[in-house]
Amino acid sequence: MKEGYKGLGVLMDAPDGPNAAIREMLRKGHERGACDAILVPMKVPSGDSYMHVLVDDVEMLDRAAPISPVLTVQGARAVTSLTRRGDEGVCIAAVMRPCEAEAVIELRKLFQVDLEHITIITMDSPGTVPLQDFARDPEEGERVFAEALATWDDSAMRPICQTCEKSNSAVGDLHLGLRGVQTGKVLLIPQGEKGLEAIAKLGLTPDHPIDEWKQASDKAMARKRGTRKANHEDLRKRASGLSGLLDLLGACINCHNCMRVCPICYCKQCKFDSPELRNTSSDYLDRADRSGSLRMPSDMLLFHMGRMSHMVLSCVSCGACEDACPTGVPVAQLFSLVAHDAQERFEYMPGRSSEEKRPLVTFEFEEFSEVED
Ligand code: SF4
Ligand code: SF4
Ligand code: SF4
C-alpha cells in the first residue's frame, strides 16, 4: 500500500447499498471541487449493458453503477483514450475495478497514460458475470450479480474472478472496502497523498480502523489463492505439450478480439495484423503440401504465442480477452497461468506500484543464474 495509508479509513453510511453510497460520494466530491469530471461505469439506455462514461453533469450520476455486473470495456482503455494527448489540468476521478487500476498503473510505466490529474477509486470486487451470459439474459445477469455482491459467493462469476487475488487490492488513490464491513456501511480507505486530499475535500477524516476489513480480505484472498492453484494445476496438465495447447485453443477462429480488448496490447500496428504476415496463395499451398492440409486462417498458434511473449509480464489477469472471445476459448486463464509463472520468476507484479520497474527494462546481476534442461 502507498505511503499515506495509516490503517484508518472513513466509515460511510450506505443504507441503500454500496452503489448508492459511492454515487453520493462522487456527487459530493464533484460539488466540492475534488474533481472536474467522473469516469464511471453506467447502464446503457437500453438497459442491457454497461459502459464507462465520462460524467460532467452530476445529475447523470443517477444511472451510474460503480460496481457493475460486467466488464464490457477494460477501464484502462478508457483512461488511455482520455489522457493519450496529454493532460491539460482537467482533474478526473476514475472509478474502476482493481484489475483495471492495475492495468492503468502498468500502462503508465509504458508511457501510455498520464495520471497527474487522475484520481483512481477502486473497490472490493465481487467479480463480474461472464459477458456472453449477461448478453443472453441481462435480467438473470443482474440477479446473479446482486447475489454475489450480497454474499461474496463468486461461484457464478467469471473463472478468472474466482481466482483473482487483487479483488481487494488497494492500488488506487482511494479504495472502498466492502468485505467484513458492517451491513449498511462502506469503508473509504485513502492511499497516498491524492487519496488523503480527496477525503479532506469531502470534509471527512479517516478515524475508523480498517483491521476487520483487512482480516476479511486476507481470508478471502487466501481462499482465492487456493482456487487459483488448483485451476492452474488443471490447466497446466491440459495445456501440456503442443497437442494439449492445440486442444485448448482448438475453438479459436483467429479473430484477434482478445488482442483488441486487452489493455496491455497497445501497439498501433500489431505484427499479427501486419502485411508482413500475409502470404501469397502459393506460400499457403506449399505449407498445405508439406503436411497434407493447412488450417485457415493460419498461424493461430503463432498469434497466441507471439502475443504472450510480448505482454505476459504485464498481464494483469483481468479476463477482458476471455470475455471478448466469441468461441469460449479460456484465453485469459491460459495467459494468467503463463503470466503468473513468468511474473513469479522476476518477483514482479504488474500494476502493484508505479515505482516498480518492469523486468525487461532493468538489469540484475543475479537474475536467472540457474539453467533448466
Ligand atoms: S479480475 Fe479481479 S478485480 Fe477484475 S473484475 Fe474480476 S475479481 Fe474484480
Ligand atoms: S491478456 Fe487478457 S487477462 Fe491479460 S491483461 Fe490482456 S485482456 Fe487482461
Ligand atoms: S482466442 Fe478467441 S478472441 Fe482470441 S483470436 Fe481466438 S477466437 Fe478470437
Side-chain angles (χ1 to χ4, degrees):
M1 286 181 174
K2 297 177 189 174
E3 203 183 326
Y5 162 79
K6 304 281 187 227
L8 295 174
V10 178
L11 197 61
M12 301 194 308
D13 288 330
D16 299 320
N19 268 333
I22 300 169
R23 280 195 292 268
E24 192 44 37
M25 179 193 80
L26 295 171
R27 191 172 286 123
K28 204 186 266 184
H30 188 273
E31 278 163 11
R32 294 183 177 203
C35 60
D36 301 312
I38 299 154
L39 181 72
V40 63
M42 195 175 274
K43 204 175 218 181
V44 298
S46 56
D48 55 1
S49 189
Y50 291 80
M51 294 300 286
H52 285 276
V53 174
L54 185 64
V55 179
D56 187 33
D57 175 359
V58 285
E59 294 304 314
M60 298 284 293
L61 281 177
D62 289 345
R63 290 218 325 270
I67 317 176
S68 59
V70 278
L71 196 79
T72 43
V73 174
Q74 228 277 11
R77 286 205 154 245
V79 175
T80 310
S81 311
L82 269 174
T83 65
R84 103 168 16 118
R85 294 280 309 268
D87 191 315
E88 282 156 20
V90 179
C91 170
I92 296 168
V95 183
M96 49 181 55
R97 302 296 174 114
C99 61
E100 297 176 289
E102 287 189 357
V104 169
I105 289 163
E106 200 59 12
L107 288 172
R108 185 189 191 188
K109 294 185 219 170
L110 291 156
F111 307 105
Q112 298 295 308
V113 298
D114 180 348
L115 291 185
E116 201 183 337
H117 299 287
I118 305 266
T119 300
I120 298 179
I121 304 171
T122 53
M123 77 291 292
D124 286 356
S125 173
T128 60
V129 178
L131 200 51
Q132 294 193 16
D133 291 358
F134 192 88
R136 255 193 306 275
D137 189 345
E139 214 173 295
E140 175 63 5
E142 296 277 1
R143 191 198 64 73
V144 164
F145 181 71
E147 200 172 302
L149 184 56
T151 62
W152 294 99
D153 175 355
D154 58 15
S155 53
M157 300 295 100
R158 301 178 305 164
I160 202 86
C161 295
Q162 293 173 31
T163 64
C164 172
E165 277 188 75
K166 60 181 140 294
S167 52
N168 72 331
S169 84
V171 292
D173 301 301
L174 283 172
H175 184 79
L176 293 145
L178 307 172
R179 279 194 185 88
V181 175
Q182 70 188 85
T183 313
K185 304 277 181 189
V186 168
L187 187 61
L188 181 59
I189 306 164
Q191 314 286 327
E193 289 314 310
K194 259 195 211 172
L196 286 168
E197 263 172 44
I199 284 201
K201 282 206 172 143
L202 285 165
L204 303 169
T205 309
D207 58 0
H208 190 87
I210 65 161
D211 305 353
E212 282 181 23
W213 166 77
K214 184 92 180 58
Q215 275 164 19
S217 295
D218 288 348
K219 198 170 155 200
M221 292 316 105
R223 180 182 56 76
K224 279 174 180 274
R225 205 170 301 131
T227 311
R228 190 187 64 200
K229 206 166 165 226
N231 283 15
H232 280 183
E233 271 165 25
D234 174 56
L235 199 60
R236 207 185 297 281
K237 276 187 212 138
R238 286 169 58 205
S240 164
L242 187 59
S243 63
L245 202 53
L246 282 169
D247 278 352
L248 199 78
L249 296 167
C252 176
I253 55 169
N254 220 359
C255 65
H256 297 189
N257 272 0
C258 46
M259 174 265 284
R260 286 188 188 94
V261 297
C262 173
I264 305 298
C265 275
Y266 62 82
C267 296
K268 278 187 189 149
Q269 170 70 72
C270 174
K271 182 173 172 60
F272 301 103
D273 280 340
S274 70
E276 212 179 303
L277 288 190
R278 278 179 218 139
N279 297 319
T280 62
S281 310
S282 46
D283 289 331
Y284 289 117
L285 274 173
D286 281 348
R287 287 168 65 185
D289 207 27
R290 281 200 289 275
S291 49
S293 64
L294 178 67
R295 175 179 165 147
M296 297 296 286
S298 65
D299 301 323
M300 177 271 285
L301 203 53
L302 179 70
F303 164 64
H304 287 293
M305 294 302 103
R307 191 171 99 80
M308 202 177 261
S309 70
H310 290 176
M311 49 69 65
V312 84
L313 283 169
S314 291
C315 170
V316 293
S317 299
C318 65
C321 49
E322 196 162 311
D323 256 347
C325 178
T327 59
V329 176
V331 62
Q333 295 172 70
L334 178 64
F335 271 60
S336 179
L337 164 69
V338 180
H340 180 259
D341 286 357
Q343 291 162 10
E344 199 172 56
R345 300 265 166 137
F346 287 100
E347 294 172 6
Y348 179 71
M349 194 179 136
R352 174 166 50 188
S353 147
S354 300
E355 277 71 52
E356 192 176 5
K357 290 210 163 46
R358 296 177 67 243
L360 297 183
V361 298
T362 55
F363 173 76
E364 303 279 347
F365 271 106
E366 296 301 324
E367 213 167 57
F368 285 123
S369 52
E370 287 172 27
V371 179
E372 282 184 24
D373 288 335

Short mmCIF file of all heavy atoms in Angstrom, two decimals, residues 2 74-77 79-81 83-84 87 96 99-120 171-173 191 193-194 263-266 314 316 348 350-358 361:
data_model
loop_
_atom_site.label_atom_id
_atom_site.label_comp_id
_atom_site.label_asym_id
_atom_site.label_seq_id
_atom_site.Cartn_x
_atom_site.Cartn_y
_atom_site.Cartn_z
N LYS A 2 0.32 2.33 -0.55
CA LYS A 2 1.12 3.54 -0.68
C LYS A 2 1.32 4.26 0.65
O LYS A 2 0.59 4.04 1.59
CB LYS A 2 0.38 4.52 -1.61
CG LYS A 2 0.21 4.03 -3.00
CD LYS A 2 -0.59 5.06 -3.73
CE LYS A 2 -1.02 4.57 -5.07
NZ LYS A 2 -1.91 5.52 -5.71
N GLN A 74 -12.35 -2.72 -20.76
CA GLN A 74 -11.40 -2.59 -19.66
C GLN A 74 -11.17 -1.09 -19.41
O GLN A 74 -10.81 -0.34 -20.33
CB GLN A 74 -10.10 -3.29 -20.06
CG GLN A 74 -9.54 -4.22 -19.00
CD GLN A 74 -8.71 -3.49 -17.95
OE1 GLN A 74 -8.70 -2.26 -17.88
NE2 GLN A 74 -8.04 -4.26 -17.11
N GLY A 75 -11.40 -0.64 -18.18
CA GLY A 75 -11.34 0.78 -17.85
C GLY A 75 -10.02 1.43 -18.21
O GLY A 75 -9.96 2.64 -18.48
N ALA A 76 -8.93 0.64 -18.19
CA ALA A 76 -7.62 1.21 -18.53
C ALA A 76 -7.62 1.72 -19.97
O ALA A 76 -6.93 2.68 -20.29
CB ALA A 76 -6.53 0.16 -18.35
N ARG A 77 -8.42 1.08 -20.82
CA ARG A 77 -8.51 1.54 -22.21
C ARG A 77 -9.17 2.92 -22.25
O ARG A 77 -8.81 3.78 -23.04
CB ARG A 77 -9.31 0.55 -23.06
CG ARG A 77 -8.51 -0.70 -23.34
CD ARG A 77 -8.98 -1.41 -24.61
NE ARG A 77 -7.87 -2.16 -25.15
CZ ARG A 77 -7.29 -1.92 -26.31
NH1 ARG A 77 -7.72 -0.95 -27.06
NH2 ARG A 77 -6.28 -2.65 -26.73
N VAL A 79 -9.08 5.16 -19.84
CA VAL A 79 -8.13 6.14 -19.31
C VAL A 79 -7.06 6.46 -20.36
O VAL A 79 -6.64 7.61 -20.52
CB VAL A 79 -7.49 5.64 -17.99
CG1 VAL A 79 -6.41 6.59 -17.50
CG2 VAL A 79 -8.55 5.48 -16.91
N THR A 80 -6.66 5.45 -21.13
CA THR A 80 -5.68 5.70 -22.20
C THR A 80 -6.26 6.71 -23.19
O THR A 80 -5.61 7.68 -23.57
CB THR A 80 -5.34 4.39 -22.96
OG1 THR A 80 -5.01 3.39 -22.01
CG2 THR A 80 -4.17 4.57 -23.90
N SER A 81 -7.53 6.48 -23.63
CA SER A 81 -8.13 7.41 -24.60
C SER A 81 -8.20 8.81 -24.02
O SER A 81 -7.94 9.79 -24.71
CB SER A 81 -9.57 6.99 -24.95
OG SER A 81 -9.62 5.65 -25.27
N THR A 83 -6.33 10.31 -21.78
CA THR A 83 -5.09 11.04 -21.46
C THR A 83 -4.02 10.89 -22.52
O THR A 83 -2.92 11.38 -22.34
CB THR A 83 -4.52 10.57 -20.10
OG1 THR A 83 -4.12 9.20 -20.22
CG2 THR A 83 -5.52 10.69 -18.99
N ARG A 84 -4.36 10.22 -23.64
CA ARG A 84 -3.30 9.94 -24.62
C ARG A 84 -2.69 11.20 -25.24
O ARG A 84 -1.53 11.24 -25.57
CB ARG A 84 -3.82 8.95 -25.65
CG ARG A 84 -4.20 9.48 -26.97
CD ARG A 84 -4.46 8.44 -28.06
NE ARG A 84 -4.66 7.06 -27.71
CZ ARG A 84 -5.77 6.38 -27.95
NH1 ARG A 84 -6.82 6.97 -28.49
NH2 ARG A 84 -5.86 5.12 -27.63
N ASP A 87 -2.36 15.61 -20.53
CA ASP A 87 -3.36 16.04 -19.58
C ASP A 87 -3.30 17.55 -19.46
O ASP A 87 -2.24 18.10 -19.20
CB ASP A 87 -3.03 15.36 -18.24
CG ASP A 87 -4.14 15.49 -17.25
OD1 ASP A 87 -4.68 16.59 -17.14
OD2 ASP A 87 -4.44 14.50 -16.59
N MET A 96 -13.02 2.32 -10.88
CA MET A 96 -12.74 1.08 -11.60
C MET A 96 -12.41 -0.08 -10.67
O MET A 96 -12.15 0.12 -9.48
CB MET A 96 -11.61 1.31 -12.60
CG MET A 96 -10.39 2.00 -12.04
SD MET A 96 -9.11 2.25 -13.30
CE MET A 96 -9.98 3.11 -14.56
N CYS A 99 -8.42 -4.73 -11.07
CA CYS A 99 -7.67 -5.21 -12.24
C CYS A 99 -7.55 -4.11 -13.29
O CYS A 99 -6.56 -4.05 -14.03
CB CYS A 99 -8.30 -6.46 -12.84
SG CYS A 99 -9.99 -6.23 -13.45
N GLU A 100 -8.53 -3.23 -13.36
CA GLU A 100 -8.47 -2.12 -14.31
C GLU A 100 -7.43 -1.10 -13.82
O GLU A 100 -6.64 -0.58 -14.61
CB GLU A 100 -9.83 -1.45 -14.44
CG GLU A 100 -10.91 -2.38 -15.00
CD GLU A 100 -12.28 -1.72 -15.04
OE1 GLU A 100 -12.88 -1.50 -13.96
OE2 GLU A 100 -12.74 -1.42 -16.13
N ALA A 101 -7.44 -0.85 -12.51
CA ALA A 101 -6.47 0.11 -11.95
C ALA A 101 -5.05 -0.40 -12.13
O ALA A 101 -4.13 0.37 -12.45
CB ALA A 101 -6.77 0.33 -10.46
N GLU A 102 -4.86 -1.71 -11.95
CA GLU A 102 -3.51 -2.26 -12.14
C GLU A 102 -3.05 -2.09 -13.58
O GLU A 102 -1.88 -1.80 -13.85
CB GLU A 102 -3.48 -3.74 -11.73
CG GLU A 102 -3.54 -3.90 -10.23
CD GLU A 102 -3.30 -5.33 -9.76
OE1 GLU A 102 -3.14 -6.22 -10.61
OE2 GLU A 102 -3.28 -5.53 -8.54
N ALA A 103 -3.98 -2.27 -14.51
CA ALA A 103 -3.62 -2.09 -15.93
C ALA A 103 -3.26 -0.63 -16.19
O ALA A 103 -2.32 -0.33 -16.93
CB ALA A 103 -4.77 -2.53 -16.83
N VAL A 104 -3.98 0.30 -15.55
CA VAL A 104 -3.67 1.73 -15.72
C VAL A 104 -2.24 2.00 -15.24
O VAL A 104 -1.45 2.68 -15.90
CB VAL A 104 -4.67 2.62 -14.93
CG1 VAL A 104 -4.20 4.06 -14.89
CG2 VAL A 104 -6.05 2.55 -15.55
N ILE A 105 -1.91 1.46 -14.06
CA ILE A 105 -0.58 1.71 -13.50
C ILE A 105 0.50 1.09 -14.39
O ILE A 105 1.56 1.68 -14.63
CB ILE A 105 -0.52 1.21 -12.04
CG1 ILE A 105 -1.38 2.14 -11.19
CG2 ILE A 105 0.91 1.16 -11.51
CD1 ILE A 105 -1.77 1.63 -9.86
N GLU A 106 0.21 -0.09 -14.92
CA GLU A 106 1.17 -0.73 -15.83
C GLU A 106 1.35 0.11 -17.09
O GLU A 106 2.45 0.29 -17.58
CB GLU A 106 0.64 -2.14 -16.17
CG GLU A 106 1.67 -3.09 -16.69
CD GLU A 106 2.84 -3.35 -15.75
OE1 GLU A 106 2.78 -2.98 -14.57
OE2 GLU A 106 3.84 -3.90 -16.24
N LEU A 107 0.24 0.65 -17.59
CA LEU A 107 0.31 1.47 -18.81
C LEU A 107 1.06 2.78 -18.55
O LEU A 107 1.66 3.34 -19.45
CB LEU A 107 -1.10 1.76 -19.34
CG LEU A 107 -1.79 0.55 -19.98
CD1 LEU A 107 -3.24 0.88 -20.29
CD2 LEU A 107 -1.09 0.12 -21.26
N ARG A 108 1.01 3.24 -17.33
CA ARG A 108 1.77 4.45 -17.01
C ARG A 108 3.27 4.18 -17.19
O ARG A 108 4.02 5.00 -17.70
CB ARG A 108 1.48 4.87 -15.57
CG ARG A 108 2.14 6.17 -15.25
CD ARG A 108 2.05 6.48 -13.79
NE ARG A 108 2.46 7.84 -13.54
CZ ARG A 108 2.63 8.32 -12.34
NH1 ARG A 108 2.39 7.58 -11.29
NH2 ARG A 108 3.01 9.56 -12.18
N LYS A 109 3.68 2.98 -16.75
CA LYS A 109 5.10 2.63 -16.90
C LYS A 109 5.48 2.50 -18.36
O LYS A 109 6.64 2.61 -18.73
CB LYS A 109 5.39 1.31 -16.19
CG LYS A 109 5.24 1.38 -14.69
CD LYS A 109 5.66 0.07 -14.08
CE LYS A 109 4.77 -0.31 -12.96
NZ LYS A 109 5.00 -1.67 -12.49
N LEU A 110 4.48 2.23 -19.18
CA LEU A 110 4.73 2.09 -20.63
C LEU A 110 4.46 3.41 -21.36
O LEU A 110 4.34 3.44 -22.58
CB LEU A 110 3.82 0.97 -21.19
CG LEU A 110 4.18 -0.45 -20.72
CD1 LEU A 110 2.97 -1.37 -20.82
CD2 LEU A 110 5.33 -1.01 -21.52
N PHE A 111 4.30 4.47 -20.59
CA PHE A 111 4.09 5.83 -21.13
C PHE A 111 2.83 5.92 -21.99
O PHE A 111 2.79 6.65 -22.97
CB PHE A 111 5.32 6.31 -21.92
CG PHE A 111 6.59 6.19 -21.13
CD1 PHE A 111 7.51 5.19 -21.39
CD2 PHE A 111 6.84 7.05 -20.07
CE1 PHE A 111 8.66 5.05 -20.63
CE2 PHE A 111 7.99 6.93 -19.31
CZ PHE A 111 8.90 5.92 -19.58
N GLN A 112 1.81 5.17 -21.60
CA GLN A 112 0.56 5.19 -22.37
C GLN A 112 -0.53 6.03 -21.71
O GLN A 112 -1.53 6.32 -22.33
CB GLN A 112 0.03 3.75 -22.54
CG GLN A 112 0.96 2.84 -23.31
CD GLN A 112 1.11 3.29 -24.74
OE1 GLN A 112 0.15 3.51 -25.44
NE2 GLN A 112 2.35 3.46 -25.17
N VAL A 113 -0.37 6.33 -20.43
CA VAL A 113 -1.36 7.16 -19.74
C VAL A 113 -0.64 8.23 -18.92
O VAL A 113 0.51 8.07 -18.54
CB VAL A 113 -2.31 6.36 -18.80
CG1 VAL A 113 -3.12 5.35 -19.55
CG2 VAL A 113 -1.54 5.69 -17.69
N ASP A 114 -1.38 9.30 -18.66
CA ASP A 114 -0.85 10.37 -17.83
C ASP A 114 -1.77 10.46 -16.61
O ASP A 114 -2.96 10.75 -16.74
CB ASP A 114 -0.89 11.67 -18.65
CG ASP A 114 -0.34 12.86 -17.87
OD1 ASP A 114 -0.16 12.71 -16.65
OD2 ASP A 114 -0.12 13.91 -18.48
N LEU A 115 -1.20 10.18 -15.46
CA LEU A 115 -2.06 10.09 -14.26
C LEU A 115 -1.99 11.33 -13.38
O LEU A 115 -2.55 11.31 -12.28
CB LEU A 115 -1.67 8.86 -13.43
CG LEU A 115 -1.99 7.51 -14.07
CD1 LEU A 115 -1.67 6.39 -13.11
CD2 LEU A 115 -3.45 7.45 -14.47
N GLU A 116 -1.35 12.36 -13.86
CA GLU A 116 -1.14 13.51 -12.98
C GLU A 116 -2.45 14.04 -12.39
O GLU A 116 -2.53 14.36 -11.22
CB GLU A 116 -0.41 14.61 -13.74
CG GLU A 116 0.25 15.55 -12.74
CD GLU A 116 0.93 16.71 -13.40
OE1 GLU A 116 1.28 16.58 -14.59
OE2 GLU A 116 1.09 17.74 -12.73
N HIS A 117 -3.48 14.12 -13.22
CA HIS A 117 -4.74 14.69 -12.73
C HIS A 117 -5.85 13.65 -12.64
O HIS A 117 -7.03 13.98 -12.72
CB HIS A 117 -5.16 15.87 -13.61
CG HIS A 117 -4.15 16.97 -13.60
ND1 HIS A 117 -3.97 17.79 -12.51
CD2 HIS A 117 -3.25 17.36 -14.52
CE1 HIS A 117 -3.00 18.66 -12.77
NE2 HIS A 117 -2.54 18.41 -13.98
N ILE A 118 -5.46 12.39 -12.55
CA ILE A 118 -6.47 11.34 -12.43
C ILE A 118 -6.43 10.79 -11.00
O ILE A 118 -5.36 10.46 -10.48
CB ILE A 118 -6.19 10.16 -13.41
CG1 ILE A 118 -6.09 10.65 -14.85
CG2 ILE A 118 -7.21 9.05 -13.24
CD1 ILE A 118 -7.33 10.60 -15.66
N THR A 119 -7.58 10.72 -10.37
CA THR A 119 -7.68 10.08 -9.05
C THR A 119 -8.39 8.75 -9.26
O THR A 119 -9.52 8.71 -9.75
CB THR A 119 -8.50 10.97 -8.07
OG1 THR A 119 -7.83 12.22 -7.95
CG2 THR A 119 -8.62 10.31 -6.70
N ILE A 120 -7.70 7.67 -8.93
CA ILE A 120 -8.28 6.34 -9.17
C ILE A 120 -9.01 5.86 -7.91
O ILE A 120 -8.44 5.85 -6.82
CB ILE A 120 -7.19 5.33 -9.57
CG1 ILE A 120 -6.52 5.78 -10.87
CG2 ILE A 120 -7.79 3.93 -9.75
CD1 ILE A 120 -5.41 4.85 -11.34
N VAL A 171 -4.88 -0.46 -4.96
CA VAL A 171 -3.81 0.10 -5.79
C VAL A 171 -4.14 1.52 -6.25
O VAL A 171 -3.30 2.18 -6.82
CB VAL A 171 -3.50 -0.78 -7.02
CG1 VAL A 171 -2.88 -2.08 -6.60
CG2 VAL A 171 -4.75 -1.01 -7.85
N GLY A 172 -5.38 1.95 -6.02
CA GLY A 172 -5.77 3.29 -6.47
C GLY A 172 -5.42 4.33 -5.42
O GLY A 172 -4.63 4.11 -4.51
N ASP A 173 -6.02 5.49 -5.56
CA ASP A 173 -5.80 6.57 -4.59
C ASP A 173 -6.80 6.48 -3.44
O ASP A 173 -6.51 6.86 -2.32
CB ASP A 173 -5.95 7.92 -5.30
CG ASP A 173 -4.94 8.04 -6.43
OD1 ASP A 173 -3.73 7.94 -6.14
OD2 ASP A 173 -5.34 8.20 -7.60
N GLN A 191 -5.32 6.13 0.03
CA GLN A 191 -3.98 5.62 -0.28
C GLN A 191 -3.17 6.81 -0.77
O GLN A 191 -3.48 7.38 -1.80
CB GLN A 191 -4.03 4.61 -1.43
CG GLN A 191 -5.09 3.58 -1.34
CD GLN A 191 -4.75 2.56 -0.31
OE1 GLN A 191 -3.59 2.25 -0.10
NE2 GLN A 191 -5.73 2.04 0.34
N GLU A 193 -1.08 10.55 -0.94
CA GLU A 193 -1.46 11.95 -0.79
C GLU A 193 -2.75 12.31 -1.53
O GLU A 193 -3.60 13.01 -1.02
CB GLU A 193 -0.31 12.85 -1.26
CG GLU A 193 0.90 12.85 -0.33
CD GLU A 193 0.52 13.01 1.14
OE1 GLU A 193 -0.25 13.93 1.45
OE2 GLU A 193 0.96 12.20 1.96
N LYS A 194 -2.87 11.82 -2.77
CA LYS A 194 -4.07 12.16 -3.55
C LYS A 194 -5.34 11.69 -2.86
O LYS A 194 -6.34 12.40 -2.81
CB LYS A 194 -3.99 11.48 -4.92
CG LYS A 194 -3.54 12.38 -6.03
CD LYS A 194 -3.87 11.69 -7.34
CE LYS A 194 -2.89 12.03 -8.41
NZ LYS A 194 -3.09 11.24 -9.61
N PRO A 263 -5.97 -4.43 -22.43
CA PRO A 263 -5.43 -3.09 -22.16
C PRO A 263 -3.92 -3.03 -22.37
O PRO A 263 -3.38 -1.96 -22.65
CB PRO A 263 -5.78 -2.86 -20.69
CG PRO A 263 -5.91 -4.22 -20.10
CD PRO A 263 -6.45 -5.09 -21.19
N ILE A 264 -3.26 -4.15 -22.22
CA ILE A 264 -1.80 -4.14 -22.29
C ILE A 264 -1.31 -4.21 -23.75
O ILE A 264 -0.21 -3.77 -24.06
CB ILE A 264 -1.23 -5.32 -21.45
CG1 ILE A 264 -1.75 -5.26 -20.01
CG2 ILE A 264 0.29 -5.34 -21.48
CD1 ILE A 264 -1.36 -4.03 -19.22
N CYS A 265 -2.12 -4.80 -24.64
CA CYS A 265 -1.76 -4.84 -26.07
C CYS A 265 -2.09 -3.47 -26.66
O CYS A 265 -3.23 -3.22 -27.05
CB CYS A 265 -2.59 -5.90 -26.78
SG CYS A 265 -1.91 -7.53 -26.70
N TYR A 266 -1.12 -2.59 -26.72
CA TYR A 266 -1.43 -1.21 -27.12
C TYR A 266 -0.75 -0.79 -28.41
O TYR A 266 -0.89 0.35 -28.84
CB TYR A 266 -1.03 -0.24 -26.00
CG TYR A 266 0.45 -0.28 -25.70
CD1 TYR A 266 1.34 0.44 -26.49
CD2 TYR A 266 0.95 -1.07 -24.67
CE1 TYR A 266 2.70 0.37 -26.25
CE2 TYR A 266 2.30 -1.14 -24.43
CZ TYR A 266 3.17 -0.42 -25.23
OH TYR A 266 4.50 -0.49 -24.99
N SER A 314 3.28 -8.19 -18.23
CA SER A 314 2.40 -7.09 -17.80
C SER A 314 0.93 -7.51 -17.71
O SER A 314 0.08 -6.69 -17.37
CB SER A 314 2.51 -5.91 -18.77
OG SER A 314 3.77 -5.32 -18.66
N VAL A 316 -2.44 -8.42 -16.38
CA VAL A 316 -3.00 -8.22 -15.05
C VAL A 316 -4.13 -9.21 -14.74
O VAL A 316 -4.84 -9.06 -13.76
CB VAL A 316 -3.48 -6.77 -14.85
CG1 VAL A 316 -2.32 -5.79 -14.85
CG2 VAL A 316 -4.51 -6.38 -15.90
N TYR A 348 7.84 -10.04 -9.87
CA TYR A 348 7.22 -8.82 -10.37
C TYR A 348 5.71 -8.97 -10.36
O TYR A 348 5.18 -10.02 -10.72
CB TYR A 348 7.70 -8.56 -11.81
CG TYR A 348 7.10 -7.32 -12.44
CD1 TYR A 348 7.48 -6.06 -12.00
CD2 TYR A 348 6.16 -7.42 -13.46
CE1 TYR A 348 6.94 -4.92 -12.57
CE2 TYR A 348 5.62 -6.28 -14.04
CZ TYR A 348 6.01 -5.04 -13.58
OH TYR A 348 5.47 -3.91 -14.14
N PRO A 350 2.59 -6.87 -12.01
CA PRO A 350 2.22 -5.70 -12.78
C PRO A 350 1.18 -4.86 -12.05
O PRO A 350 0.26 -5.40 -11.44
CB PRO A 350 1.66 -6.28 -14.09
CG PRO A 350 1.28 -7.67 -13.75
CD PRO A 350 2.19 -8.12 -12.66
N GLY A 351 1.34 -3.55 -12.11
CA GLY A 351 0.33 -2.67 -11.52
C GLY A 351 0.42 -2.52 -10.02
O GLY A 351 -0.34 -1.77 -9.42
N ARG A 352 1.36 -3.25 -9.38
CA ARG A 352 1.44 -3.15 -7.91
C ARG A 352 1.88 -1.75 -7.49
O ARG A 352 1.38 -1.19 -6.53
CB ARG A 352 2.44 -4.20 -7.39
CG ARG A 352 2.72 -4.13 -5.92
CD ARG A 352 3.42 -5.37 -5.41
NE ARG A 352 4.58 -5.77 -6.21
CZ ARG A 352 5.24 -6.90 -6.05
NH1 ARG A 352 4.85 -7.76 -5.13
NH2 ARG A 352 6.29 -7.20 -6.80
N SER A 353 2.83 -1.19 -8.24
CA SER A 353 3.32 0.13 -7.88
C SER A 353 3.89 0.82 -9.11
O SER A 353 4.51 0.18 -9.96
CB SER A 353 4.40 -0.03 -6.80
OG SER A 353 5.38 0.95 -6.93
N SER A 354 3.68 2.12 -9.18
CA SER A 354 4.21 2.88 -10.32
C SER A 354 5.73 2.90 -10.28
O SER A 354 6.39 3.06 -11.31
CB SER A 354 3.75 4.33 -10.26
OG SER A 354 2.38 4.41 -10.31
N GLU A 355 6.27 2.76 -9.07
CA GLU A 355 7.74 2.89 -8.92
C GLU A 355 8.47 1.61 -9.33
O GLU A 355 9.63 1.64 -9.70
CB GLU A 355 8.11 3.20 -7.46
CG GLU A 355 8.01 4.68 -7.11
CD GLU A 355 6.58 5.15 -7.04
OE1 GLU A 355 5.78 4.50 -6.33
OE2 GLU A 355 6.22 6.14 -7.72
N GLU A 356 7.77 0.47 -9.25
CA GLU A 356 8.43 -0.81 -9.56
C GLU A 356 8.70 -0.91 -11.06
O GLU A 356 7.78 -0.81 -11.87
CB GLU A 356 7.50 -1.95 -9.12
CG GLU A 356 8.14 -3.30 -9.11
CD GLU A 356 7.19 -4.37 -8.56
OE1 GLU A 356 6.00 -4.07 -8.29
OE2 GLU A 356 7.63 -5.50 -8.43
N LYS A 357 9.97 -1.09 -11.43
CA LYS A 357 10.31 -1.11 -12.85
C LYS A 357 9.93 -2.44 -13.49
O LYS A 357 9.99 -3.47 -12.86
CB LYS A 357 11.82 -0.88 -13.01
CG LYS A 357 12.24 0.55 -12.68
CD LYS A 357 13.46 0.92 -13.50
CE LYS A 357 13.73 2.39 -13.57
NZ LYS A 357 13.64 3.13 -12.34
N ARG A 358 9.56 -2.39 -14.76
CA ARG A 358 9.23 -3.62 -15.48
C ARG A 358 10.51 -4.43 -15.67
O ARG A 358 11.57 -3.87 -15.95
CB ARG A 358 8.59 -3.29 -16.82
CG ARG A 358 7.26 -2.58 -16.68
CD ARG A 358 6.68 -2.19 -18.01
NE ARG A 358 6.30 -3.35 -18.79
CZ ARG A 358 6.84 -3.68 -19.96
NH1 ARG A 358 7.77 -2.95 -20.48
NH2 ARG A 358 6.42 -4.74 -20.59
N VAL A 361 13.19 -3.87 -18.45
CA VAL A 361 13.93 -2.61 -18.56
C VAL A 361 14.94 -2.47 -17.42
O VAL A 361 15.53 -1.43 -17.22
CB VAL A 361 13.01 -1.36 -18.59
CG1 VAL A 361 12.11 -1.37 -19.78
CG2 VAL A 361 12.20 -1.23 -17.30
#
